[in-house]
Amino acid sequence: MSSNLERQANAEPVSAAPSHVPNHVAFIMDGNGRWASSRGLPRTEGHRQGLEALRKIIRHAALRGVGIVTIYSFSTENWSRPEPEVRFLMGLLRRFVQRDLSELHRENIRIRIIGERDNLDAGILKLLLDAEELTRNNTGMELVVAFNYGARQELTAAVKKLCEKVARGEIEPSAISESHISAELDTVGLPDPDLIVRTSGELRLSNFLLWQAAYTEFYFSDLMWPDFDEAALDQALECFGNRDRRYGGVTAQAL
Ligand code: FPP
C-alpha cells in the first residue's frame, strides 16, 4: 500500500523554492511520542525534539515567504495526558517563549496566542501575554500559538457572546452572518489557513480550527513531527502549489 505522502504529493524531493507559497500554514505537530518510543526514549524526549523541529520550521517558513504560521501546541484535550507529561509540555512552552522570544522579536516575527485563557497557570499566561505585547508592532511573519485551544470550545464561546449581544438588543438573530461568528472567534482578523499540515500519518483534524478550515487544503505527512524538516516543508508547499482550489466553484477551463 502506498503511504500518505506518496498518495498525495507529486512526491519528488524539492530542492528549489516552491513556486506558489500559501499565506497561512497551520501545523498539527503529531508523533512526538511515537518518535521517542520507537527509539526506546521517554515521550518527553520526543517533545523536546519536537521543539527543535518547530524552531527550524518557523525559520524556514519565514524564509519561504509564508505570512502566518499557526501551531497546535496544546489542545484542550491534552490535559487528559499523564500529569508529568502535561507538566513537561508546560515547561517546554515556557522555555520556548523565554529562550526564543528575543530572537523571534529580532526577526520581526509577531506572536499571537489563541485558546482558552481561563484556568491557565498565571505565570504561563503572563509570559504569553508579554510575548504578544513585545511583538505587537512587528511586521514580519505572524506566529500563532494555539495553546489550550479547542475549536468546539472556541465556537461555543462565540455562540455565547453572540447570544449575549442578542439579549442586550445589540443585534437581531436574523442579522447574524458568518462574519459575526468569525468576529467572535480567537482568530478574529486572521485569514483562514490555506494549508494545514499534519504529521505522523494520522488523518484527523482533532478539534483544530474547525470553522476556519472550511476551504483549507490538507497535507498529511508520514513523518513523525521531530523528523519534519525544511525539505519536508518544501515538499508540502510544493504540493499545495499544485492544488486546484475551487471553493465550491468550477475551474475556468471547465467552463
Ligand atoms: C503531539 O504528539 C504533540 C503534542 C501534543 C505537543 C506538541 C508540542 C511540541 C511539538 C513541542 C513544542 C511546542 C511547544 C511550543 C510547547 P504526541 O505526543 O501526541 O505523539 P504521539 O501521537 O506519537 O503519542
Side-chain angles (χ1 to χ4, degrees):
M1 220 176 80
S2 62
S3 68
N4 290 329
L5 206 60
E6 284 162 347
R7 277 197 299 277
Q8 71 196 323
N10 309 312
E12 292 303 310
V14 180
S15 49
S19 46
H20 180 62
V21 173
N23 179 42
H24 183 176
V25 185
F27 293 94
I28 303 178
M29 309 179 287
D30 198 10
N32 294 344
R34 276 164 288 163
W35 182 92
S37 303
S38 69
R39 288 164 175 76
L41 299 168
R43 290 176 56 80
T44 47
E45 188 52 30
H47 295 313
R48 204 193 309 274
Q49 290 303 320
L51 178 56
E52 294 310 316
L54 174 62
R55 290 196 168 105
K56 284 189 265 178
I57 290 304
I58 290 170
R59 265 78 194 186
H60 195 63
L63 185 74
R64 288 300 188 224
V66 173
I68 303 161
V69 161
T70 297
I71 53 164
Y72 204 6
S73 68
F74 193 86
S75 77
T76 43
E77 287 74 30
N78 287 153
W79 292 107
S80 65
R81 294 182 174 220
E83 200 269 334
E85 184 171 338
V86 169
R87 203 159 4 101
F88 186 87
L89 283 168
M90 296 293 153
L92 210 57
L93 178 78
R94 206 186 281 267
R95 274 211 300 283
F96 171 59
V97 176
Q98 283 168 340
R99 227 180 85 177
D100 288 32
L101 181 60
S102 54
E103 199 178 325
L104 294 169
H105 185 42
R106 217 173 320 116
E107 289 170 16
N108 200 21
I109 291 174
R110 190 162 68 256
I111 295 175
R112 173 164 171 171
I113 314 297
I114 60 171
E116 281 187 39
R117 294 177 179 199
D118 299 346
N119 308 324
L120 273 190
D121 172 89
I124 288 191
L125 184 59
K126 179 167 179 347
L127 212 58
L128 296 176
L129 295 176
D130 287 351
E132 276 189 329
E133 191 49 41
L134 177 71
T135 62
R136 183 172 302 280
N137 296 320
N138 288 351
T139 54
M141 194 181 81
E142 185 156 14
L143 175 63
V144 181
V145 181
F147 183 74
N148 195 25
Y149 176 85
R152 286 186 171 183
Q153 290 82 345
E154 180 192 35
L155 280 163
T156 305
V159 169
K160 280 184 193 158
K161 282 182 260 175
L162 278 175
C163 287
E164 285 160 8
K165 286 187 176 171
V166 169
R168 290 196 299 268
E170 291 169 19
I171 185 167
E172 285 293 319
S174 60
I176 293 174
S177 65
E178 289 182 11
S179 58
H180 287 103
I181 296 173
S182 295
E184 301 297 347
L185 300 176
D186 294 355
T187 50
V188 55
L190 274 180
D192 290 340
D194 299 293
L195 176 66
I196 290 182
V197 174
R198 182 172 190 148
T199 54
S200 89
E202 305 288 355
L203 311 178
R204 291 187 291 279
L205 206 42
S206 299
N207 205 15
F208 189 45
L209 302 176
L210 297 181
W211 173 270
Q212 299 85 342
Y215 282 100
T216 298
E217 297 293 323
F218 291 90
Y219 181 87
F220 298 105
S221 168
D222 286 332
L223 293 173
M224 299 296 138
W225 175 255
D227 290 330
F228 194 81
D229 59 8
E230 290 91 342
L233 177 58
D234 277 347
Q235 200 159 12
L237 299 180
E238 187 67 22
C239 182
F240 172 85
N242 292 326
R243 300 277 175 95
D244 179 18
R245 302 183 81 189
R246 294 188 296 279
Y247 301 94
V250 290
T251 45
Q253 301 96 296
L255 291 172

